[in-house]
Amino acid sequence: MSMELPKHYDPREAQERWLRFWTERGFFHARPDANRQPFCIVIPPPNVTGALHLGHALNNTLQDVLIRWRRMQGYDTLWMPGTDHAGIATQAVVERRLREEEKKTRHDLGRDELVKRIWQWKDQYEKRILGQLSELGCSCDWQRTRFTLDPVCARAVRTTFFKMFKDGLIFRGKRLVNWDAQLQTSVADDEVENVKQKGKFYYFRYPILARGSGTLDHVLIGTTRPETMLGDTAVAVHPEPARELDKRERELEANLAKANEKDTREIQERLERLRRRRTEMLPHLEQLAELAHAGTILELPLLGRKIPLIADRYADPEKGTGAVKITPAHDYNDYAVWERHRATGEPINILNPDGSINDNGRGEFRGRAFSYSGLDRMDARRKVVEDLQELGLFDREEDIENTIPLSDRSKTPIEPYLSDQWFVRMGDVDNQPGLAQRAIDAVKDGRVKFTPERYGKTYLDWLGEKRDWCISRQLWWGHRIPIWYVYAPENELKRIFAGRDDVTWRLDEVNGRWLVCALEDLPTDILGPKYPLEQDPDVLDTWFSSALWPHSTLGWPEATPELAYWYPTSVLVTSRDIITLWVARMVMTGLYNLDKVPFHHVYIHPKILDAFGETMSKTKGNGLDPLDIIARYGTDALRFQMVHLATETQDSKMPVANVCPHCDELVPVKMEHLGGKTRKITCPSCKKPFRPGGPWHAVDPELPTAKQASERFEVGRNFANKLWNAARFLFLNLEGYKPEAIRHEALPIEDRWILSRLATTTATVTQHLENYRFSEVARTIYDFTWSEFCDWYIEMSKRRLSDAAAKPLVQRVLVGLLDGILRLVQPIMPFVAESIWQALNEVAFERGLPAPEPAAESVVIAPWPVLPESWRDAAMETRIGHMQELVRAVREVRNRYTVDMKTNLDVFVRCAESVAGDFRTLTPFIAALAGVGRLECGPDTAKPRQSATHVTPEFEAYVSLQGLIDVSSETARLQKQLAEKLKHIQAARGKLGNSNFVDRAPADVVQQQRDLVADLQNQIKAIEENLRDLQEG
RNA sequence: GGGCGCUUAGCUCAGUUGGCUAGAGCACCAGCUCGACAAGCUGGGGGUCACUGGUUCAAGUCCAGUAGCGCCCACCA
């Protein structure tokens, strides 16, 4: 029976067909099975509103490879899918649409309505992202799909929060946030836009109160935001200005020595400025430092507060007046300074949420009362300047251009603002290891292993700081914080909540109210109308629910069979930038809630960068849409490339091109196209305009949008096609195929060779998978399939297929090989593997090596190949290696020269015999593969390609072929190596023999040298034995 | 400011404890429409392994320094 396949592999048809087939058969659905080993991965949940991008493609392909491989190995395999509600990102998307389409803010809608809208949005977009993952071939158990806000996850969140609150791990604290005073909300960093604009720099004087020594009676400071002086808690100067300036000067001089022309000018200018400043300012700076060291106190103008002059490196001696005012409540850098000098007192918040000055803006100075309370911050700025002028403390103002942070949403200046937030305590409590320490221990003692190992350091360093985790966010979309505030006598609380173990409370020491924490929502009138409860308006940080993902998705806090069976999960696959935010927190909560780590391994994969080495992002507009790649090259090609670029260390640059929608020409994306600014590109080939494509492009009705492409995916596409055509060759030659067991020892040499290679390849691939060496996995399979199976074995099989007596055996071997290759390929390129597998099931249902068996109904559930170790034969592989070299050499000679046929044949036969040795059966293959046979049967029409001036081409060919045996053979190679080593040994001996060396070198070094010589001698012995073996046969 | 990584062919990248004549794909050159595959086959050219120094019998690989590039954390998702 034979059948014919189309000439090219059609990915589109295969993808649709097998996706449906797999789903119908339920191959991806898992149930706990005590008779099998569990293997489980939880997906890093993509943002619900996100679209699939290349990072997802990489991350999920790698997980799928592991899952598919383990499934074939017989593990009870669960890949748990789901999506993340991604608080700020999602709410921002919906709010933006609201603004653009209905000109409304969230306040117009109200909390409940906005949340309702986001849920609608979520339902729509969750389908999209999950559908895209499915298209990628991800073999997730889709029936178990979770969402971080669904009831199961919500219960886990509540339970954890409640437990932490009860354990005293959750507390109130202060933190600086980006405050949008107009919208009265905090804003995430990526929603802050830095804008250059004209502004003023103001200088004024702070009087020195208690002077240690010296002549100064004030300190001059400069600022762009004078009103923030109301919140100053200190003034900082550099502790060692002279040393610092010296150091910088030296550095600049050193740089100058090797700078190029352009940099030289810049450095020289800076050096000049530095030296001038040194001359002009240094005595003053030194005096300031001295004052700071002496504990000088300043008097804050207008408010009369006493603030210290402190020494801190943050104050740059090269800039300004050398002294910096410190306003910890309203500046991130100042806050950091304050953290180093906590003794200077608590940060002072001077703003109301609406941006006006609060009651901290009142005070008395030199007998006069000043108040800014209630003034808008911009009005306060003017009044502060006026008042300082009046007091004679104002020095001067300068026009400058500075950068100020604007809120992306309201376009008003962002105010860093110290506000009340909820925190989780990371540190140790009562000398017991806290959340951070327990997570640290888990990695230190190897319960959690990172691959590559170095990322363990990132994790440990970050956790080592044990910084408390701020978990509240001023948003509406997310898990609302289950805390209710109430002013009431404690008796009332006791009366209502006594005996309830799902409610607990604690006194808020700051304002005397109760903080009530509950597992379930509390009615606000539960204490009666006199004591209304008010729920905290904030929601939890998205990472709080993400941190529970490995156990919440498996049903915790319920004791589900899934949790018992699959937790801890096997491996977590993610990117390095969320090691701290996500990985560390999963370990913490896993240990906290279940006393078990959430996963045994963490595999960190590289990042895909654009052609210029920058991360792909929406704002840069340099992304690549995986769906375009799938459409153009096929899913298997995309997956192959993802696996192939997943190397140990290196991030991968991915040049992107737009496909001209008019003429299909690839137009590379250039630097100037980035930033999302380019709306139109003119095709250099057909001169027609189009809109650049990308995963984040908006549709433009006027202009056709380009699809994207990248040459990098051709490798995978070509490989899929190669595999397809190898299968096609088989199908054309399977007539009369009969399954039957083979006897390995009776096989011809080329069969034993390819089976040895298959066994080696299978073992290597398995090992690489175990070690997460994905790139090697792809490369090993690719090389074996293409360069050995196709290039050599199939070619050698052609002769035998035309020989009726030899045919049945070679058919069995070919089918067995293809079967094995398909199984190896399946985890990476499941669609093409399944296509061929199903076709093979039609014509050779019973197959396999060494004995045939009925095939699995899908390659997805076929067993992972394990071949007899005894099939691996290194000597055989070397022998065929020689043959290949001979063939290559003959081909080269044929390609280079026109040779006399008779001489050539004669020389060739001698070479072939010499190489083949006792494997005479190989000689015909050598002849066929080298094309020598054709030389015999007609005039060689090839023209001389290299002129021979002093030797005839025939002579050169002859010499090449003669030389070949010596140069190419393993014998010669080993001999050469041997000679090298002998030389080294002699050198080593010489050193040892040198009495000087023996006398002076430490004993262990001498011993080391002796060991080395002994070692080398052993190696030589081994080599010599090898040589003898080779010569004998 | 702290931490991590990268620099190997024109391009994108491999190169596991030091031990090859430093590899692959693409691109390039020459030749092949021979019954699996032109998304292919055969052969070829192309590298001071960023630079400087050190350790070693032996360095792309280990160590130190220099230069350039990138990422993460400091605030945030």
Side-chain angles (χ1 to χ4, degrees):
Chain A
M1 182 167 33
S2 80
M3 68 187 267
E4 195 150 351
L5 261 45
K7 226 172 166 180
H8 287 297
Y9 167 58
D10 175 11
R12 193 182 306 246
E13 192 260 346
Q15 282 154 210
E16 276 173 32
R17 187 161 163 205
W18 304 126
L19 218 46
R20 205 171 335 112
F21 175 68
W22 296 332
T23 311
E24 278 166 10
R25 299 301 164 103
F27 294 144
F28 306 155
H29 183 53
R31 281 184 209 89
D33 174 359
N35 297 319
R36 291 194 287 157
Q37 288 289 313
F39 184 85
C40 178
I41 297 179
V42 291
I43 203 168
N47 179 344
V48 247
T49 58
L52 193 72
H53 58 67
L54 217 52
H56 291 126
L58 173 65
N59 177 252
N60 291 294
T61 298
L62 298 183
Q63 292 175 73
D64 197 41
V65 167
L66 293 173
I67 285 282
R68 284 175 180 269
W69 163 57
R70 291 296 193 187
R71 186 182 290 122
M72 291 175 87
Q73 280 192 326
Y75 286 82
D76 188 354
T77 308
L78 170 64
W79 187 5
M80 174 66 77
T83 52
D84 191 277
H85 68 279
I88 202 146
T90 308
Q91 184 172 324
V93 170
V94 175
E95 279 193 68
R96 188 172 309 130
R97 274 177 65 111
L98 198 61
R99 205 163 55 233
E100 283 165 8
E101 289 170 14
E102 301 176 39
K103 308 272 179 245
K104 283 183 183 164
T105 70
R106 70 186 148 116
H107 299 286
D108 298 330
L109 249 61
R111 183 165 190 145
D112 291 347
E113 181 59 24
L114 184 88
V115 169
K116 211 173 102 194
R117 294 278 187 107
I118 305 177
W119 271 103
Q120 287 165 1
W121 176 272
K122 173 253 165 189
D123 289 339
Q124 182 186 345
Y125 281 84
E126 181 180 49
K127 278 201 197 87
R128 185 180 70 170
I129 184 87
L130 293 178
Q132 289 174 339
L133 285 177
S134 172
E135 264 186 74
L136 194 61
C138 292
S139 58
C140 299
D141 187 349
W142 299 108
Q143 294 176 39
R144 296 184 184 275
T145 304
R146 290 258 77 93
F147 174 54
T148 50
L149 280 184
D150 69 20
V152 174
C153 293
R155 196 164 160 72
V157 164
R158 279 290 180 93
T159 308
T160 306
F161 189 97
F162 186 78
K163 192 167 162 232
M164 285 179 167
F165 185 85
K166 235 179 149 175
D167 288 347
L169 294 177
I170 284 184
F171 66 96
R172 265 322 232 177
K174 302 262 185 200
R175 160 152 310 204
L176 275 183
V177 294
N178 298 319
W179 192 256
D180 180 329
Q182 184 168 339
L183 298 176
Q184 301 205 19
T185 178
S186 65
V187 178
D189 264 14
D190 50 8
E191 290 185 292
V192 176
E193 190 184 1
N194 288 312
V195 181
K196 269 194 180 169
Q197 63 166 45
K198 286 197 172 120
K200 282 189 178 3
F201 207 78
Y202 306 86
Y203 292 92
F204 36 85
R205 293 188 278 271
Y206 286 10
I208 292 177
L209 250 194
R211 187 185 325 160
S213 60
T215 53
L216 274 181
D217 64 352
H218 70 266
V219 175
L220 187 68
I221 54 127
T223 179
T224 54
R225 295 188 298 159
E227 75 284 4
T228 60
M229 62 86 68
L230 301 171
D232 282 1
T233 60
V235 170
V237 295
H238 197 278
E240 297 173 304
R243 228 179 110 184
E244 180 69 23
L245 291 174
D246 282 352
K247 193 179 124 202
R248 291 188 192 182
E249 199 174 329
R250 276 200 307 277
E251 273 173 17
L252 284 176
E253 281 165 353
N255 288 346
L256 195 59
K258 29 193 148 145
N260 60 35
E261 213 170 305
K262 196 181 111 217
D263 294 345
T264 302
R265 240 199 351 260
E266 266 174 42
I267 295 174
Q268 266 169 348
E269 273 171 28
R270 199 176 147 204
L271 204 53
E272 266 168 45
R273 273 202 309 274
L274 188 78
R275 287 180 177 141
R276 206 161 49 231
R277 182 154 179 107
R278 200 193 152 89
T279 332
E280 288 166 7
M281 289 287 287
L282 189 59
H284 178 69
L285 294 172
E286 298 242 82
Q287 201 180 352
L288 286 177
E290 222 170 278
L291 284 169
H293 295 312
T296 299
I297 302 291
L298 309 175
E299 186 176 25
L300 185 66
L302 309 177
L303 301 185
R305 215 160 46 227
K306 292 174 182 51
I307 59 174
L309 187 70
I310 59 175
D312 193 285
R313 289 176 183 281
Y314 169 58
D316 189 339
E318 226 182 308
K319 286 187 192 154
T321 65
V324 188
K325 60 193 276 305
I326 302 298
T327 322
H330 299 285
D331 185 285
Y332 286 103
N333 289 318
D334 292 6
Y335 189 80
V337 173
W338 173 77
E339 285 189 313
R340 293 193 284 269
H341 303 270
R342 284 173 185 259
T344 55
E346 289 300 304
I348 298 169
N349 184 359
I350 59 162
L351 290 179
N352 290 315
D354 65 359
S356 62
I357 305 292
N358 66 19
D359 283 350
N360 286 328
R362 292 172 196 271
E364 205 184 296
F365 182 68
R366 295 187 176 163
R368 260 181 74 186
F370 291 90
S371 173
Y372 306 89
S373 174
L375 289 179
D376 180 78
R377 60 199 187 285
M378 291 305 158
D379 298 329
R381 175 173 303 178
R382 276 186 287 277
K383 187 148 188 291
V384 164
V385 170
E386 276 169 28
D387 290 345
L388 285 169
Q389 277 169 334
E390 209 185 305
L391 287 166
L393 293 172
F394 189 82
D395 190 81
R396 64 184 194 278
E397 62 181 50
E398 289 170 359
D399 287 327
I400 54 153
E401 185 166 273
N402 63 343
T403 313
I404 61 159
L406 284 190
S407 164
D408 227 7
R409 295 201 248 161
S410 70
K411 305 293 174 198
T412 53
I414 289 290
E415 299 294 333
Y417 178 80
L418 199 64
S419 60
D420 289 319
Q421 305 289 342
W422 288 100
F423 288 83
V424 175
R425 177 165 288 122
M426 293 289 112
D428 301 346
V429 184
D430 301 333
N431 283 331
Q432 292 300 306
L435 288 174
Q437 189 58 49
R438 292 183 67 191
I440 288 171
D441 293 342
V443 165
K444 279 196 171 159
D445 65 22
R447 275 173 290 157
V448 175
K449 279 203 185 71
F450 276 88
T451 306
E453 269 177 50
R454 77 190 113 93
Y455 290 114
K457 189 174 155 49
T458 310
Y459 170 101
L460 290 173
D461 285 353
W462 184 79
L463 276 176
E465 291 177 29
K466 301 187 180 178
R467 301 169 78 94
D468 292 328
W469 173 17
C470 178
I471 51 167
S472 45
R473 295 290 180 273
Q474 292 68 53
L475 295 170
W476 289 350
W477 175 242
H479 292 279
R480 193 153 171 189
I481 290 177
I483 294 279
W484 285 261
Y485 303 111
V486 62
Y487 292 92
E490 191 172 14
N491 286 342
E492 289 295 316
L493 297 173
K494 280 185 177 154
R495 189 173 60 84
I496 301 294
F497 298 130
R500 282 185 68 165
D501 56 7
D502 63 340
V503 179
T504 182
W505 62 88
R506 196 163 72 214
L507 191 64
D508 182 351
E509 280 148 23
V510 180
N511 41 28
R513 62 188 175 176
W514 294 100
L515 308 171
V516 181
C517 182
L519 266 181
E520 306 288 341
D521 280 356
L522 293 173
T524 52
D525 58 355
I526 192 167
L527 294 180
K530 220 174 139 192
Y531 306 114
L533 266 58
E534 188 196 344
Q535 187 172 4
D536 191 299
D538 291 355
V539 300
L540 287 166
D541 179 10
T542 304
W543 296 111
F544 194 90
S545 50
S546 312
L548 311 174
W549 191 241
H551 55 278
S552 67
T553 51
L554 290 169
W556 186 89
E558 304 298 326
T560 60
E562 286 83 0
L563 189 68
Y565 186 70
W566 279 300
Y567 191 93
T569 65
S570 309
V571 52
L572 182 87
V573 178
T574 189
S575 147
R576 72 174 100 87
D577 44 6
I578 49 176
I579 290 173
T580 54
L581 295 165
W582 192 43
V583 179
R585 284 163 182 169
M586 282 191 284
V587 178
M588 285 186 325
T589 63
L591 289 168
Y592 181 68
N593 283 335
L594 293 116
D595 215 17
K596 280 190 209 155
V597 294
F599 28 73
H600 300 298
H601 290 181
V602 178
Y603 171 70
I604 304 292
H605 56 70
K607 299 186 68 146
I608 302 179
L609 312 172
D610 70 7
F612 316 103
E614 295 190 33
T615 43
M616 292 182 171
S617 77
K618 191 171 180 167
T619 41
K620 286 182 199 155
N622 57 353
L624 181 56
D625 192 340
L627 299 179
D628 283 358
I629 299 303
I630 287 176
R632 190 177 178 90
Y633 303 97
T635 307
D636 287 329
L638 172 64
R639 292 173 58 112
F640 182 85
Q641 190 57 30
M642 293 298 104
V643 176
H644 192 252
L645 59 73
T647 58
E648 168 124 358
T649 51
Q650 186 96 20
D651 290 343
S652 193
K653 279 182 254 183
M654 182 69 70
V656 179
N658 285 298
V659 182
C660 173
H662 311 288
C663 68
D664 209 41
E665 185 81 6
L666 290 195
V667 186
V669 171
K670 298 203 186 103
M671 201 73 141
E672 62 262 29
H673 295 153
L674 301 185
K677 302 269 189 315
T678 310
R679 296 268 185 265
K680 192 164 101 178
I681 291 179
T682 304
C683 173
S685 170
C686 69
K687 313 291 178 205
K688 289 185 193 156
F690 61 85
R691 186 185 173 86
W696 303 295
H697 67 247
V699 183
D700 185 332
E702 306 284 312
L703 213 55
T705 303
K707 295 268 188 207
Q708 292 182 303
S710 176
E711 282 176 358
R712 304 285 296 281
F713 295 98
E714 287 175 7
V715 185
R717 180 197 58 181
N718 295 353
F719 183 46
N721 198 50
K722 186 72 178 178
L723 202 55
W724 178 261
N725 274 294
R728 192 164 167 263
F729 169 79
L730 256 70
F731 290 129
L732 291 171
N733 287 287
L734 280 191
E735 202 157 341
Y737 168 79
K738 265 214 297 284
E740 201 173 292
I742 53 147
R743 276 176 46 238
H744 181 261
E745 64 280 8
L747 291 174
I749 178 169
E750 67 273 17
D751 288 359
R752 277 181 287 154
W753 165 71
I754 194 72
L755 292 180
S756 172
R757 292 296 309 131
L758 178 67
T760 303
T761 302
T762 303
T764 308
V765 167
T766 308
Q767 208 184 349
H768 286 322
L769 281 167
E770 281 163 359
N771 296 321
Y772 305 104
R773 303 182 70 92
F774 290 97
S775 182
E776 298 292 305
V777 171
R779 207 169 54 87
T780 307
I781 296 174
Y782 180 94
D783 286 348
F784 173 72
T785 305
W786 199 308
S787 311
E788 300 192 290
F789 179 60
C790 291
D791 286 355
W792 293 95
Y793 188 75
I794 286 191
E795 290 308 320
M796 289 197 280
S797 77
K798 283 177 181 171
R799 256 180 67 89
R800 290 164 67 197
L801 282 167
S802 61
D803 174 349
K807 194 172 178 181
L809 179 59
V810 77
Q811 282 177 331
R812 279 171 218 141
V813 177
L814 277 168
V815 165
L817 282 162
L818 182 62
D819 176 274
I821 289 170
L822 292 177
R823 298 189 208 202
L824 293 177
V825 159
Q826 191 273 144
I828 301 178
M829 306 206 292
F831 295 102
V832 69
E834 187 74 293
S835 299
I836 300 173
W837 184 269
Q838 295 298 336
L840 202 53
N841 279 2
E842 302 274 313
V843 290
F845 181 64
E846 287 186 40
R847 57 182 185 263
L849 297 168
E853 283 172 25
E857 66 165 320
S858 162
V859 68
V860 166
I861 52 166
W864 184 250
V866 181
L867 294 162
E869 187 65 24
S870 62
W871 284 9
R872 292 169 70 175
D873 183 341
M876 180 76 64
E877 295 188 11
T878 310
R879 174 68 61 179
I880 296 288
H882 293 162
M883 184 205 86
Q884 291 173 335
E885 274 184 64
L886 173 64
V887 170
R888 281 198 197 99
V890 175
R891 285 170 180 166
E892 182 180 344
V893 170
R894 280 176 43 75
N895 247 321
R896 270 183 197 277
Y897 308 108
T898 303
V899 283
D900 171 75
M901 293 174 290
K902 280 229 160 64
T903 312
N904 188 36
L905 200 62
D906 180 44
V907 172
F908 159 73
V909 169
R910 274 162 44 211
C911 292
E913 284 177 350
S914 150
V915 168
D918 54 340
F919 302 120
R920 286 297 158 90
T921 52
L922 286 179
T923 316
F925 293 122
I926 298 175
L929 294 172
V932 173
R934 285 199 298 135
L935 263 186
E936 283 178 293
C937 26
D940 191 320
T941 52
K943 294 177 199 86
R945 287 167 204 123
Q946 195 166 315
S947 61
T949 49
H950 53 282
V951 290
T952 63
E954 288 85 348
F955 180 73
E956 270 201 53
Y958 182 80
V959 168
S960 301
L961 283 169
Q962 285 291 309
L964 164 78
I965 297 173
D966 294 326
V967 174
S968 73
S969 73
E970 192 68 10
T971 313
R973 191 178 300 173
L974 291 174
Q975 270 167 348
K976 217 169 131 191
Q977 214 175 28
L978 191 67
E980 278 292 294
K981 280 189 177 169
L982 276 172
K983 225 166 71 194
H984 294 319
I985 290 165
Q986 274 154 8
R989 274 213 183 111
K991 247 189 177 178
L992 267 182
N994 182 335
S995 64
N996 226 350
F997 174 79
V998 176
D999 290 346
R1000 279 175 30 210
D1004 59 324
V1005 173
V1006 175
Q1007 189 54 46
Q1008 204 188 329
Q1009 293 287 341
R1010 290 208 170 107
D1011 291 349
L1012 194 70
V1013 171
D1015 183 44
L1016 285 170
Q1017 273 167 342
N1018 283 337
Q1019 283 186 40
I1020 290 164
K1021 222 177 270 170
I1023 291 166
E1024 279 169 351
E1025 271 168 33
N1026 258 337
L1027 279 173
R1028 260 202 307 283
D1029 287 355
L1030 279 168
Q1031 273 155 6
E1032 280 162 15

